[in-house]
Amino acid sequence: MEDDREKIFGSIRRGLRQAEQTDAARENRSPLKEPLSADFQIRFEKFNSELVKLGGEAYVLDDFKGISDFLLRHITDDAGVFIYDEVSGIYDSALSELRSSRTYKLSTDFENDYDKRDVAQFGSAILPCAACIAETGTIVLRNSMRLPAALATRLFVITEPVRLMASLDGLFTDSFRDAGGSNLFLVTGPSRTADIEKELVTGVHGPKEVYVIFHKE
Amino acid sequence: MEIEAKHFKELYKKQIVKDRLRSNLSKATLQAVDSREESFKEVDFQFLRAQAKMIREESVSHLNELLSEFEDQARKNGCNIFYAQTPEKARAYVLDVAVRNNVKLIVKSKSMVTEEIELVPFLSEKGIETVETDLGEYIVQLAKEKPSHITTPAIHKSRTEIAELFHEKIGTEMNDDPKFLTAEARRVLREKFLAADMGISGANFLIAETGDAVIVENEGNARLSTSSTNVHVVVTGIEKVIPKFSDLRIFMRVLGRSSTGQKLTSYVSVLRGPRTEEEKDGPREVHIVLLDNGRSSLLGTDHQEVLNCIRCGACLNVCPVYRNIGGHAYGSVYPGPIGSLVTPMYFGEKNAPDLPFASSLCGNCSEVCPVGIEIHHQLLSLRHEIVAARKSRIERFLFKNYRKTMLRPGRYQMIGRFARALSKFSVVRRIMKPWTDYRDIPEFPSQSFREIYKSGKLN
């Protein structure tokens, strides 16, 4: 089907008027009134306070044993666990007890595409993340995690302290832009709606619970 | 394309008498206003607004270059781009994509542009089931109504009405707890996501330098609509393009705050195209439909700045008119102050001649606009244009004589005496009934100020 490209561009060119020069220009300064320090503990406290306000939780755990205990405590059902291969590779020993006591599937167990009905059955998904943002309590996911991140009831993210950025200013930069991949996905707390009389309800379509673990070791 | 906005005067009269609607709207909009104020405390709103305004102005005034750049990048990313000048053309393209892919069920996330082109009824008419997946949109789709707010489509409905609707349409038990109703919607819609063959979404921003489509949302339905099927179609307006990826640091901070009082919405998807070979999910085909529908004709006019709008809906929440008549009174997919501008501009002034008058011109809308659109000035300017185009002989006669009267004191006094005498007759009050129905008319004094002053009775 032939489109209207030329007609639309013709119309734009005919009408176009350059905006009057304004006093404003792109400024790189942060709009935050109180920028966060680089100290991990301060950033973590901010990240956690934002996430808790939204119904999520964040933890700093020192060792694999701590992570293992945490996951076993929070994944009590047998709805199944989706584990992304990158997490499985790094945190193998932290996941071994979970794997022996719960039904699970690794992302590499899917030979080709994820079967969406299969993924929808999982109660929990354990994923890595590209970054976390303290300013807003946000997790940044990249590639290959579209369905697990959106379909699981509980979302667990395991990451390192170095990935905790102070603000959105660090995320929307050229280095993130150029890192490639087909998509970036920012998750800020559990899925939510206030469509019925403005009453906040979590877990509309996406995860009802969100946990972030910073592994300090 | 004829729209209901033509009958605004009849529509608002029906809505303004609905006490329950007004109370729902008041509660919801005032809560949104408070949340917005609270959320901006941590950031410098004026700085963000100046930056956002500057970037949107730059975007619109270089629209041809930025659209070309976006198109090139998006094609490189593997997307198909289609330009549609009219709603008909956009609808036909989406149908063509659906037919070529043998699509039977479409899941759709919230998008004002798809409402603008009436895409869902069109696809349903062609035998393709198209399900709205945003909870508010799902509610209005079940009720066979139209959205009444840009970001909260079912704002006009109470929990009881929604419970009754769910009970009747999807067989849920009668329970008006929002948690229960939301869980029921999740159950029904999850099955639709799993069965769907195609997803449709809008886009909040298109990034020229990367070819990305950016979608912000809270529920996760847009994420699922864009990643659970093999085909994803983005339908959006040509004006949504912004120059740089880094510009998102400004817009992400103002959009959620202005719209729902959130520092950032629950989900932001930055989509760069179909899945890569290494990926195991996501669409294999991505189509981006860029709609004009009157937008380019605003370029170079005094109304160009209206294209800067990022559809946050903040102007609706602060508008005293919207708060009293609701979104359906506007007879357009775009209600409220921004809708009163956009509707006549996109659909023609003949289709919405009264909307620019649906404002008290209090300026609240301009005050909260995160991209600094002078909405109330724009409304006033549109009023001037409409009045000038009407060329009413009576109006011209009246204003010509009003001018003469105000310039000549003798004539002014004579008409004053005449009006005071005339006001004693009940027929005059009857003639003024449309005005006095909603306002008190003061008693005319028996003497003018000048006469009282001359008589020395002032003290």
Side-chain angles (χ1 to χ4, degrees), chain A residues 16-153:
Chain A
L16 215 51
R17 188 179 59 185
Q18 304 292 310
E20 281 170 29
Q21 201 61 40
T22 58
D23 291 338
R26 257 193 202 78
E27 277 183 51
N28 282 328
R29 82 169 168 92
S30 175
L32 290 176
K33 286 181 182 162
E34 287 175 31
L36 271 186
S37 94
D39 181 73
F40 170 73
Q41 200 51 40
I42 293 171
R43 285 186 183 185
F44 173 77
E45 274 162 27
K46 172 70 177 162
F47 177 79
N48 191 35
S49 76
E50 292 300 328
L51 194 57
V52 166
K53 272 188 234 163
L54 302 166
E57 293 170 29
Y59 298 88
V60 181
L61 299 175
D62 291 333
D63 52 22
F64 287 166
K65 177 80 174 76
I67 297 174
S68 176
D69 291 346
F70 179 88
L71 293 173
L72 288 167
R73 253 197 333 272
H74 285 81
I75 305 174
T76 50
D77 60 13
D78 202 25
V81 186
F82 174 93
I83 306 172
Y84 197 70
D85 54 351
E86 191 183 314
V87 182
S88 168
I90 303 170
Y91 301 100
D92 185 54
S93 56
L95 297 170
S96 62
E97 207 171 327
L98 183 82
R99 283 202 297 248
S100 61
S101 59
R102 308 282 189 273
T103 313
Y104 74 95
K105 218 165 186 177
L106 296 175
S107 55
T108 44
D109 290 339
F110 292 86
E111 240 180 70
N112 300 309
D113 297 359
Y114 296 144
D115 178 321
K116 59 181 171 180
R117 285 197 179 272
D118 208 358
V119 175
Q121 295 304 315
F122 294 118
S124 309
I126 306 177
L127 308 174
C129 73
C132 291
I133 313 293
E135 176 190 350
T136 48
T138 302
I139 305 158
V140 183
L141 305 174
R142 176 180 273 152
N143 297 340
S144 271
M145 286 175 264
R146 300 180 200 229
L147 286 177
L151 286 171
T153 311

Side-chain angles (χ1 to χ4, degrees), chain B residues 35-95:
Chain B
S35 310
R36 178 193 166 277
E37 267 177 30
E38 184 62 34
S39 71
F40 271 111
K41 281 184 179 164
E42 215 174 65
V43 291
D44 181 346
F45 174 63
Q46 295 305 338
F47 169 73
L48 280 170
R49 174 150 79 169
Q51 291 284 296
K53 181 182 167 79
M54 185 268 299
I55 297 167
R56 286 302 297 146
E57 277 180 355
E58 182 189 327
S59 307
V60 171
S61 60
H62 294 89
L63 194 55
N64 55 343
E65 296 152 36
L66 291 174
L67 262 184
S68 281
E69 191 183 349
F70 172 78
E71 181 188 343
D72 290 346
Q73 290 302 327
R75 283 193 203 280
K76 273 185 206 160
N77 298 340
C79 300
N80 300 285
I81 304 291
F82 185 83
Y83 288 91
Q85 204 167 27
T86 60
E88 291 77 14
K89 200 91 186 243
R91 289 193 303 240
Y93 181 77
V94 179
L95 177 66

Side-chain angles (χ1 to χ4, degrees), chain B residues 19-209:
Chain B
D19 289 343
R20 197 164 163 189
L21 170 80
R22 293 171 67 185
S23 119
N24 288 353
L25 283 168
S26 242
K27 187 179 160 196
T29 52
L30 292 173
Q31 195 179 324
V33 170
D34 289 345
S35 310
R36 178 193 166 277
E37 267 177 30
E38 184 62 34
S39 71
F40 271 111
K41 281 184 179 164
E42 215 174 65
V43 291
D44 181 346
F45 174 63
Q46 295 305 338
F47 169 73
L48 280 170
R49 174 150 79 169
Q51 291 284 296
K53 181 182 167 79
M54 185 268 299
I55 297 167
R56 286 302 297 146
E57 277 180 355
E58 182 189 327
S59 307
V60 171
S61 60
H62 294 89
L63 194 55
N64 55 343
E65 296 152 36
L66 291 174
L67 262 184
S68 281
E69 191 183 349
F70 172 78
E71 181 188 343
D72 290 346
Q73 290 302 327
R75 283 193 203 280
K76 273 185 206 160
N77 298 340
C79 300
N80 300 285
I81 304 291
F82 185 83
Y83 288 91
Q85 204 167 27
T86 60
E88 291 77 14
K89 200 91 186 243
R91 289 193 303 240
Y93 181 77
V94 179
L95 177 66
D96 186 53
V97 172
V99 170
R100 272 194 287 112
N101 286 281
N102 197 24
V103 169
K104 299 279 181 287
L105 173 63
I106 296 174
V107 278
K108 184 186 153 287
S109 65
K110 206 168 136 21
S111 143
M112 298 311 292
V113 176
T114 56
E115 297 283 350
E116 181 185 329
I117 65 172
E118 298 182 338
L119 184 62
V120 175
F122 172 79
L123 291 170
S124 302
E125 222 172 73
K126 302 290 175 190
I128 300 170
E129 185 186 352
T130 308
V131 183
E132 296 282 4
T133 58
D134 171 86
L135 179 61
E137 291 278 354
Y138 179 60
I139 292 166
V140 294
Q141 188 180 32
L142 284 181
K144 296 197 168 89
E145 290 175 2
K146 287 187 174 168
S148 63
H149 191 283
I150 289 177
T151 56
T152 324
I155 198 170
H156 58 287
K157 284 197 128 35
S158 70
R159 61 178 72 196
T160 316
E161 288 169 324
I162 296 167
E164 285 164 0
L165 181 73
F166 276 25
H167 179 63
E168 188 199 331
K169 302 282 182 180
I170 54 174
T172 60
E173 63 176 81
M174 264 306 292
N175 180 343
D176 68 359
D177 178 3
K179 283 195 183 84
F180 170 80
L181 295 168
T182 305
E184 284 301 299
R186 178 184 171 109
R187 180 182 59 78
V188 174
L189 292 172
R190 178 59 66 97
E191 196 43 50
K192 298 288 181 191
F193 282 121
L194 297 179
D197 318 292
M198 182 166 127
I200 296 178
S201 73
N204 296 84
F205 302 100
L206 303 170
I207 303 171
E209 72 172 359

Side-chain angles (χ1 to χ4, degrees), chain B residues 298 301-303 345 349 356-357 378-391:
Chain B
L298 297 181
T301 69
D302 291 341
H303 305 303
M345 289 173 188
E349 283 173 11
F357 298 87
Q378 284 289 341
L379 284 167
L380 195 58
S381 151
L382 204 54
R383 286 182 188 186
H384 282 305
E385 285 173 25
I386 289 172
V387 170
R390 274 180 193 162
K391 288 179 185 164

